[in-house]
Amino acid sequence: MVTVEVVAQPDKNAQPAGRIVEVLGNYADPGMEIEIALRKHELPYEFSSAAMRLAEKLPDEVRPNDSKGREDLRALPLVTIDGETARDFDDAVHCKREGKGFRLWVAIADVSHYVRPGDALDTASRERGNSVYFPRRVIPMLPEKLSNGLCSLNANVDRLCMVCEMSVDGQGEIGPYRFYAAVMRSQARLTYNRVAAALGLAAFNRRAGTGASRAASAGPVCAVSRAGQGAREARAIDFETIETQMLFDDQGKIENIVATQRNDAHRLIEECMLAANVCASDFLKSRKHPALYRVHEGPTPEKLEALRTFLKQFGLDLTGGDTPHAKDYAKLLASIKGRPDIQLLQTVLLRSLKQAQYSPDNVGHFGLAYEAYTHFTSPIRRYPDLVVHRAINAALAGKSYSPGNWEELGAHCSMTERRADEATRDVESWLKCYYMQDRIGEEFPGSISAVTGFGIFVALDDVYVEGLVHISELGEDYYHFDAARHQMLGERTARPVPPRRPGEGEAGSRRSGFEQDRFPACRRKRSKKEKGLSLG
């Protein structure tokens, strides 16, 4: 694998000519898929010498002068809760009961204290827009000295932070809140699995009437998060997805792909972060300070009509008339849980919505059912969060902060987010292709997750790999794609290939409900000389 600089464009008489500028290595080398994605998507992956020099000048620990003017929360039992392999810790939480409600502290690493507007570190992090998380490798937004050190809320060391302290009632509704700069000391580095296990033990001890639980300190946080989750689930959209993790062997190749389960600890932190983000957006909106909002618009009339046409085939309907709300989507999603065709239905529902993005124009967040929403909780890995911190600090001081053109910055951060998503998808597809290449000829049960004009996408149930079955392999007939109904219509038979409703077809089958006898190419065992699924 090499990178080439084109020195002569092709014309009618000659092929293009190029000069090799970099030899990356053999295509099968571990990590080669990431090297290719970095260059293909033009991801910045090396910090400038100016940015590195500036990072090296920063102290290794918080200096006494850095804490001046900040509230001292070092005695407050704040803890971080993250994944087992996490190395950068943006957020810490603490909660206690207060009357019939709770008081919740969400402390976020204060990157803005060290990364100043316009300096070399700011230029580098703005260019990157966000950290990119590949399997086994991270391209950080900030140099490691900050992302894993000075700005990471590591346990038992002093760290600077921005705090959102809020009151939450028993129904999960946020009351009075305030923002302030503080110095803190995380009391423990906890993981999702450990916290979930401890919460389960606490529930068991309460039922059994045994002594105090090791999770007693996490109880109030869990209670407030459950209240918030209950209130949000009634009005917000929550798609049921399967998160996966790739396990690698000593040679750096995929050994297995396993499903990961979201537990109470994941939901706990998610609700705390949502609450802090809502407070941040409300604070800036009330102070009339410009900000980058996280916006998500609802479906267009055209997409809404196409969605309802599709849903009619299943005897389903989206309520809400011409202007449905997130709660209408949530109600429909709740009604289809457990169906064998839920993957296809969710895909179509998701595609009816626009993509979330960053913008200074607050049009609300349709999916979360918030009138205003920002990203405040991850300044180590997202540039918009860093900008929001600067705006909050300016508003607290009665000043104003501007990063330049807010609209251009929103478009740039939206682009870098999409760029990172595309790059990670490329890497995962490469790894999955490599993983499946030795399994051509085997048969797997699967669900059809999407129908397109060029074929059907099939998600294999047990290996969590999705691939394309091309339209040319769907049988003897010639099929036309009906985009509104997400089905193929046979030209010769004039019969559609309809999605099968729950309960029809073979017992236990999950092939997205398409009549299996219509797809002999999907059923027969294929030789190793034939092409397997075109993964991706």
Side-chain angles (χ1 to χ4, degrees):
M1 303 299 295
V2 299
T3 56
V4 176
E5 176 188 3
V6 177
V7 296
Q9 295 293 335
D11 57 36
K12 62 181 181 180
N13 298 317
Q15 295 288 336
R19 180 176 63 87
I20 294 175
V21 295
E22 184 182 19
V23 177
L24 301 179
N26 188 280
Y27 83 97
D29 289 346
M32 183 55 60
E33 68 284 350
I34 296 176
E35 297 297 334
I36 293 171
L38 293 175
R39 290 155 179 81
K40 173 184 174 183
H41 296 279
E42 298 182 342
L43 284 164
Y45 59 93
E46 292 181 339
F47 288 102
S48 67
S49 56
M52 293 305 295
R53 284 196 301 269
L54 195 55
E56 288 304 316
K57 289 180 181 179
L58 292 172
D60 294 324
E61 303 293 341
V62 172
R63 296 167 298 196
N65 286 341
D66 295 328
S67 302
K68 288 184 177 179
R70 293 173 175 265
E71 295 196 24
D72 192 342
L73 298 185
R74 284 175 286 195
L76 192 70
L78 289 155
V79 296
T80 62
I81 306 175
D82 294 271
E84 267 69 14
T85 60
R87 296 177 61 195
D88 53 346
F89 309 113
D90 288 283
D91 53 86
V93 297
H94 175 65
C95 186
K96 70 176 184 180
R97 295 188 181 274
E98 192 174 69
K100 294 183 179 180
F102 308 88
R103 179 160 297 274
L104 173 65
W105 286 262
V106 177
I108 306 298
D110 190 358
V111 177
S112 65
H113 181 83
Y114 301 105
V115 180
R116 301 293 185 173
D119 69 14
L121 287 170
D122 183 55
T123 300
S125 56
R126 182 169 180 159
E127 180 187 16
R128 295 178 179 222
N130 44 257
S131 298
V132 185
Y133 292 84
F134 294 114
R136 298 174 300 153
R137 181 177 172 186
V138 177
I139 307 300
M141 187 181 79
L142 296 167
E144 188 173 350
K145 184 169 184 178
L146 286 90
S147 61
N148 293 355
L150 191 57
C151 291
S152 182
L153 305 183
N154 301 326
N156 302 315
V157 292
D158 291 355
R159 288 291 184 258
L160 304 184
C161 60
M162 287 294 297
V163 179
C164 178
E165 181 182 339
M166 67 198 93
S167 296
V168 185
D169 67 20
Q171 286 70 48
E173 297 297 326
I174 301 171
Y177 63 83
R178 70 186 184 104
F179 286 89
Y180 53 89
V183 57
M184 61 161 285
R185 177 180 282 250
S186 172
Q187 303 297 307
R189 182 272 199 262
L190 304 179
T191 66
Y192 293 125
N193 290 341
R194 288 175 58 196
V195 171
L199 291 171
L201 178 63
F204 173 80
N205 285 340
R206 285 195 299 271
R207 290 193 300 269
T210 55
S213 166
R214 292 177 297 174
S217 60
V221 192
C222 190
V224 74
S225 74
R226 282 175 176 162
Q229 184 183 1
R232 186 170 61 87
E233 283 181 346
R235 65 176 188 270
I237 304 173
D238 187 15
F239 288 101
E240 185 180 290
T241 59
I242 299 176
E243 299 292 331
T244 60
Q245 179 183 1
M246 295 181 182
L247 305 179
F248 295 88
D249 59 23
D250 295 338
Q251 286 72 46
K253 303 304 178 186
I254 297 182
E255 191 171 64
N256 198 7
I257 303 174
V258 297
T260 58
Q261 300 295 327
R262 289 178 73 251
N263 54 42
D264 281 346
H266 288 91
R267 288 182 277 271
L268 180 156
I269 291 299
E270 182 180 83
E271 292 302 323
C272 291
M273 298 307 111
L274 286 169
N277 286 337
V278 169
C279 290
S281 62
D282 185 76
F283 176 81
L284 292 170
K285 183 181 176 183
S286 65
R287 298 295 181 99
K288 297 181 179 180
H289 193 290
L292 272 189
Y293 291 94
R294 182 67 169 177
V295 301
H296 182 221
E297 298 182 69
T300 63
E302 295 77 16
K303 286 192 173 184
L304 194 56
E305 182 181 358
L307 174 61
R308 288 200 164 110
T309 300
F310 170 75
L311 291 173
K312 284 180 181 177
Q313 300 176 89
F314 297 82
L316 299 171
D317 183 40
L318 177 68
T319 57
D322 294 335
T323 56
H325 297 283
K327 64 181 180 181
D328 297 302
Y329 274 77
K331 180 181 176 181
L332 179 57
L333 283 167
S335 72
I336 64 175
K337 282 187 176 179
R339 292 176 59 131
D341 49 12
I342 186 172
Q343 197 166 11
L344 177 63
L345 292 169
Q346 282 195 149
T347 298
V348 177
L349 284 168
L350 183 61
R351 288 180 178 176
S352 73
L353 301 173
K354 293 185 177 180
Q355 193 172 31
Q357 59 184 341
Y358 296 102
S359 172
D361 300 321
N362 177 31
V363 297
H365 198 293
F366 180 85
L368 293 174
Y370 290 139
E371 292 183 3
Y373 189 68
T374 59
H375 276 168
F376 162 77
T377 54
S378 297
I380 290 176
R381 59 186 180 90
R382 288 192 306 230
Y383 192 77
D385 302 54
L386 175 56
V387 170
V388 166
H389 276 234
R390 290 171 177 167
I392 290 174
N393 278 319
L396 287 171
K399 299 178 182 179
S400 180
Y401 162 72
S402 174
N405 187 310
W406 284 97
E407 191 168 341
E408 287 182 1
L409 179 60
H412 171 75
C413 291
S414 300
M415 179 278 293
T416 61
E417 179 185 46
R418 290 192 299 271
R419 179 178 66 184
D421 288 342
E422 291 167 2
T424 52
R425 276 196 296 269
D426 274 5
V427 167
E428 289 175 0
S429 294
W430 172 292
L431 290 168
K432 287 177 179 179
C433 281
Y434 204 90
Y435 173 61
M436 296 297 291
Q437 69 177 355
D438 294 330
R439 308 187 72 175
I440 295 175
E442 296 182 34
E443 290 186 351
F444 303 90
S447 305
I448 296 178
S449 56
V451 185
T452 71
F454 49 85
I456 57 174
F457 282 93
V458 178
L460 304 184
D461 293 347
D462 302 321
V463 292
Y464 307 106
V465 171
E466 186 178 53
L468 172 71
V469 179
H470 194 265
I471 189 172
S472 62
E473 300 188 26
L474 295 185
E476 299 298 327
D477 209 341
Y478 183 86
Y479 291 96
H480 295 278
F481 175 54
D482 186 334
R485 292 178 171 83
H486 289 258
Q487 67 181 15
M488 298 288 187
L489 189 67
E491 184 177 86
R492 179 174 55 82
T493 61
R495 289 178 56 193
V497 184
R500 185 170 61 237
R501 291 171 177 75
E504 296 180 359
E506 298 177 23
S509 174
R510 295 185 65 240
R511 295 190 184 239
S512 178
F514 283 83
E515 297 177 10
Q516 294 182 19
D517 61 351
R518 302 289 293 170
F519 301 114
C522 298
R523 298 173 60 225
R524 66 185 175 88
K525 190 167 182 177
R526 309 171 75 192
S527 71
K528 290 193 176 184
K529 292 182 180 179
E530 296 180 274
K531 292 182 180 179
L533 294 179
S534 177
L535 303 177

